[in-house]
Amino acid sequence: MNSLFVAARAVHYASALLLFGELVFVIVVARPAWRRVKVGDGDTVYRRLFAVARWSLIASIASGAAWLAAQAAVMSGMQAAQAMNRETLGLVLGNTVFGHVWVLRLGLIVVLVAVLFALKRSAGDPRRSRLTIVAAVIAAAYLGSLAWAGHAVAGAELGDFDQIIADVAHLLAAGAWLGALPALVGLLASTDAPDVVVQATRRYSNLAMASVCVLVVSGLINAWYQVGAVPALIGTEYGRLLLAKLGLF
């Protein structure tokens, strides 16, 4: 059960980060770079966006269902297969914060799919930029809502939202930085225009630096709430995982 829970969370976080990062990359990096050098219209970027969005949403829905099954099993004390019944799922979705968040996120997925579908059909339409921004905002809400399914909401006291806000900022900064990195690699591999490469790399570097600043500040806030002292940083599993993350960072 623990393996299912960890795997589902990992895939779910990764897919949500990638989806948000791709949209941020199109808005902040790719489209401005193409416009500045006036080479082509950047349709290749949108083709990649739609491909990544399709697979990210599939992975997110599948892993979200697995996460829900694991959570229902933990809350009911049943095996995952036994917990997937109408009564148990109804209790989890209707009577827990986790369930309410999952219902909200399901609604966000439905809206996001509709916006992406409209975006795909908007080639040559002046509304394409606005639709891209709308899709990015919905993807940000979808990613940021994971803060209410993680350790931040579990550790926060009633009325204390500082940690949750920090967790939302941490997720969005990670999505903008790491989630956009594959898109940068894809752009560099798909264009022969050196001016586009220069502009895209500079813009991504600025995005990355801003994201890293937010990650550092929000990470310190989360560490303050979750660890609190140096002995806990070394003597607890969460503290050791945090040290490992810092090492990778």
Side-chain angles (χ1 to χ4, degrees):
M1 177 57 65
N2 189 55
S3 298
L4 172 64
F5 186 72
V6 172
R9 280 174 58 101
V11 173
H12 199 75
Y13 273 86
S15 59
L17 286 168
L18 183 59
L19 178 59
F20 175 65
E22 285 282 338
L23 286 161
V24 169
F25 183 83
V26 171
I27 295 169
V28 178
V29 179
R31 284 179 60 89
W34 283 106
R35 284 200 303 266
R36 186 175 181 85
V37 300
K38 299 178 181 179
V39 177
D41 57 3
D43 280 345
T44 302
V45 175
Y46 273 99
R47 285 196 294 270
R48 174 187 163 82
L49 168 64
F50 297 135
V52 170
R54 179 173 63 252
W55 289 109
S56 294
L57 287 169
I58 291 172
S60 188
I61 292 170
S63 58
W67 189 349
L68 175 62
Q71 193 72 24
V74 169
M75 292 180 178
S76 64
M78 303 176 183
Q79 295 295 322
Q82 296 174 333
M84 293 298 287
N85 60 74
R86 181 180 299 180
E87 182 179 355
T88 304
L89 291 178
L91 288 173
V92 173
L93 293 173
N95 296 282
T96 67
V97 173
F98 179 88
H100 295 161
V101 170
W102 242 234
V103 171
L104 170 64
R105 299 184 78 246
L106 179 60
L108 289 172
I109 281 187
V110 173
V111 176
L112 182 56
V113 168
V115 173
L116 288 172
F117 182 76
L119 182 60
K120 189 172 184 179
R121 301 186 62 179
S122 66
D125 193 321
R127 297 179 303 168
R128 170 166 272 200
S129 295
R130 293 194 294 271
L131 286 171
T132 307
I133 294 172
V134 171
V137 170
I138 299 171
Y142 182 71
L143 174 60
S145 63
L146 283 171
W148 278 266
H151 53 75
V153 71
E157 297 179 359
L158 185 63
D160 184 6
F161 294 105
D162 292 347
Q163 188 183 357
I164 296 175
I165 293 172
D167 215 26
V168 171
H170 203 72
L171 287 165
L172 296 182
W177 178 31
L178 296 178
L181 184 56
L184 176 66
V185 175
L187 177 63
L188 298 183
S190 64
T191 180
D192 296 323
D195 290 342
V196 173
V197 171
V198 170
Q199 289 297 323
T201 304
R202 286 176 176 171
R203 287 182 174 276
Y204 177 80
S205 295
N206 292 332
L207 172 66
M209 286 189 288
S211 299
V212 165
C213 291
V214 175
L215 281 169
V216 169
V217 174
S218 58
L220 288 173
I221 294 173
N222 283 335
W224 175 265
Y225 278 102
Q226 292 295 318
V227 179
V230 174
L233 189 63
I234 301 171
T236 66
E237 183 178 358
Y238 180 84
R240 290 189 291 272
L241 285 172
L242 181 58
L243 288 175
K245 283 181 63 178
L246 287 172
L248 290 171
F249 181 75

